[in-house]
């Protein structure tokens, strides 16, 4: 008797031929257990209603000529809005400014937050107070942060001009938020200050999960501070760093409230981020379809950039 014939005559339930699964077992293997779905509904419904639904509606608007106050029915115009965006130099300039803003803020946030997290991870006196104070900017609403920094940057009564003048670094007041040369760097500094605490908290949590025994072993082997950081701390923090930098880049690129309160996109569009540009197009000029197309382009480009970044990082980690 051949091997194939012997397998065909095997008794169901034997070692070579396991018994067929019941429908309930098949549903459970596919993750279709009704009880699990029922427990997920309270979390899924708000996401579908408040996130997925508006996202799909915004994507659909990008292919229409929707306008504010229009009496005629909205028409489907296909790719016309996207084709018009190809020649919109103002939008692509705002996109360039948005990338400069997002990369600068994300990079500076990470560098400063890493230094602060390493400091707060030490056994210092009053460490609890330092950790609490480090979270203050994170606890403040963006509007409050914007108003506060507008007062700091004020050309006549601002603390910054007064301090720099007393130190002899300035001979005349500078209007930081209205000067073409200083507006974007000034806004970037505020973005770094406002977003650094959340990065610090995440990195500090990662540092506390690094085994202390590994650092002690490296120290016994004669490794200095920098050597211990590069060989022990940094590899252990790589997954945390990848996650927080990716999220920070998305959050910073989609910033709206802070920059709007500080400059409203001025002076001369030097701080007009793409989100601000789309907001003005929609709610100042009433071009909802065109603004939705801008949002679609932003989502697509950022998704591609992040995919390339994550793919590169994952390949480096796997190597």
């Amino acid at each position: 008797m051949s091997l194939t014939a012997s397998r065909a005559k095997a008794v169901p339930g034997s070692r070579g031929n396991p018994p067929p699964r019941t429908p309930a077992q098949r549903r459970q293997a596919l993750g279709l257990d009704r009880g699990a779905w029922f427990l997920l509904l309270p979390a899924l419904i708000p996401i579908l209603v408040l996130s997925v639904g508006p996202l799909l509606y915004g994507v659909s608007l990008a292919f229409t000529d929707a306008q504010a106050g229009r009496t005629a029915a909205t028409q489907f115009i296909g790719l016309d809005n996207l084709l018009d965006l190809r020649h919109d130099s103002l939008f692509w300039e705002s996109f360039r400014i948005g990338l400069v803003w997002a990369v600068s803020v994300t990079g500076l946030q990470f560098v400063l937050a890493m230094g602060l997290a390493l400091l707060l991870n030490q056994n210092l006196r009053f460490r609890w107070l330092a950790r609490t104070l480090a979270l203050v900017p994170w606890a403040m609403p963006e509007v409050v942060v914007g108003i506060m920094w507008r007062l700091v940057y004020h050309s006549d009564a601002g603390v910054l001009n007064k301090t720099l003048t007393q130190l002899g670094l300035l001979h005349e007041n500078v209007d930081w938020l209205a000067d073409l040369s200083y507006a974007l760097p000034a806004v970037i500094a505020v973005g770094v200050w406002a977003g650094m605490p959340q990065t610090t908290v995440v990195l500090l949590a990662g540092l506390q999960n690094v085994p202390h025994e590994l650092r002690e072993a490296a120290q016994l082997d004669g490794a200095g501070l920098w050597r211990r950081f590069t060989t022990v701390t940094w590899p252990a923090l790589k997954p945390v760093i990848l996650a927080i930098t990716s999220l920070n880049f998305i959050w910073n690129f989609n910033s709206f409230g802070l920059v709007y309160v500080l400059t409203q996109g001025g002076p001369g569009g030097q701080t007009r981020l793409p989100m601000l540009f789309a907001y003005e197009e929609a709610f100042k000029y009433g071009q909802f379809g065109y603004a939705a197309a801008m949002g679609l382009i932003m989502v697509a480009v950022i998704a591609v950039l992040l995919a390339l970044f994550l793919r590169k990082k994952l390949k480096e980690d796997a190597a």
Side-chain angles (χ1 to χ4, degrees), residues 145-187:
V145 173
I147 294 173
M148 182 186 72
W149 278 93
R150 280 181 66 90
L151 296 176
V152 172
Y153 284 138
H154 195 277
S155 58
D156 297 324
V159 176
L160 181 60
N161 275 334
K162 185 176 181 179
T163 302
L164 293 178
T165 302
Q166 290 177 347
L167 294 175
L169 300 176
L170 279 182
H171 301 291
E172 59 181 8
N173 290 340
V174 176
D175 196 348
W176 299 96
L177 298 178
D179 191 289
L180 294 175
S181 302
Y182 296 114
L184 185 57
V187 172

Side-chain angles (χ1 to χ4, degrees), residues 108 135-136 159 162 176 179 197 204-205 231 242 271 287 290 317:
L108 291 173
L135 294 176
V136 170
V159 176
K162 185 176 181 179
W176 299 96
D179 191 289
L204 181 58
T231 59
L242 181 63
T271 61
Q287 301 294 328
Y290 194 57
D317 294 342

Side-chain angles (χ1 to χ4, degrees), residues 65-70 88 90 264 272 276-291 294:
D65 60 352
Q67 297 178 7
R70 184 175 179 175
D88 194 336
L90 292 177
Q264 296 186 1
R272 185 182 288 124
L276 277 172
F277 194 91
Y279 170 82
E280 291 180 350
E281 198 68 29
F283 298 104
K284 187 175 181 179
Y285 304 111
Q287 301 294 328
F288 292 144
Y290 194 57
M294 294 180 184

Side-chain angles (χ1 to χ4, degrees), residues 102-266:
V103 172
S104 301
V105 174
T106 302
L108 291 173
Q109 276 179 355
F110 171 73
V111 172
L112 296 177
M114 176 62 78
L116 184 57
L118 290 171
L119 180 63
L120 295 178
N121 195 44
Q122 302 299 317
N123 190 17
L124 302 175
R125 193 175 182 183
F126 299 112
R127 183 175 58 176
W128 63 271
L129 179 60
R131 289 180 177 180
T132 304
L133 294 176
L135 294 176
V136 170
W138 195 15
M140 299 173 64
E142 283 189 337
V143 174
V144 176
V145 173
I147 294 173
M148 182 186 72
W149 278 93
R150 280 181 66 90
L151 296 176
V152 172
Y153 284 138
H154 195 277
S155 58
D156 297 324
V159 176
L160 181 60
N161 275 334
K162 185 176 181 179
T163 302
L164 293 178
T165 302
Q166 290 177 347
L167 294 175
L169 300 176
L170 279 182
H171 301 291
E172 59 181 8
N173 290 340
V174 176
D175 196 348
W176 299 96
L177 298 178
D179 191 289
L180 294 175
S181 302
Y182 296 114
L184 185 57
V187 172
I188 288 174
V190 179
V192 172
W193 182 86
M196 192 174 66
Q198 63 186 12
T199 309
T200 303
V201 170
V202 174
L203 292 177
L204 181 58
L207 286 172
Q208 292 177 344
N209 288 326
V210 177
H212 187 65
E213 295 79 8
L214 294 179
R215 288 197 289 261
E216 288 183 345
Q219 186 174 5
L220 291 175
D221 290 339
L225 286 174
W226 178 250
R227 185 70 175 175
R228 293 200 300 270
F229 176 77
T230 55
T231 59
V232 178
T233 305
W234 182 265
L237 283 180
K238 269 190 175 182
V240 177
I241 293 172
L242 181 63
I244 193 60
T245 52
S246 301
L247 291 175
N248 279 344
F249 183 80
I250 296 173
W251 290 332
N252 291 325
F253 188 81
N254 292 327
S255 293
F256 173 80
L258 183 61
V259 180
Y260 184 80
V261 174
L262 284 170
T263 63
Q264 296 186 1

Side-chain angles (χ1 to χ4, degrees), residues 2 9 63 74 79 106 142 157 178 197:
S2 65
K9 292 182 180 181
F63 302 98
T74 300
L79 300 177
T106 302
E142 283 189 337

Side-chain angles (χ1 to χ4, degrees), residues 85-108:
L85 274 176
R86 292 187 308 168
H87 309 291
D88 194 336
S89 59
L90 292 177
F91 170 72
W92 293 111
E93 176 63 17
S94 73
F95 203 94
R96 182 193 67 81
I97 295 172
L99 288 177
V100 172
W101 153 271
V103 172
S104 301
V105 174
T106 302
L108 291 173

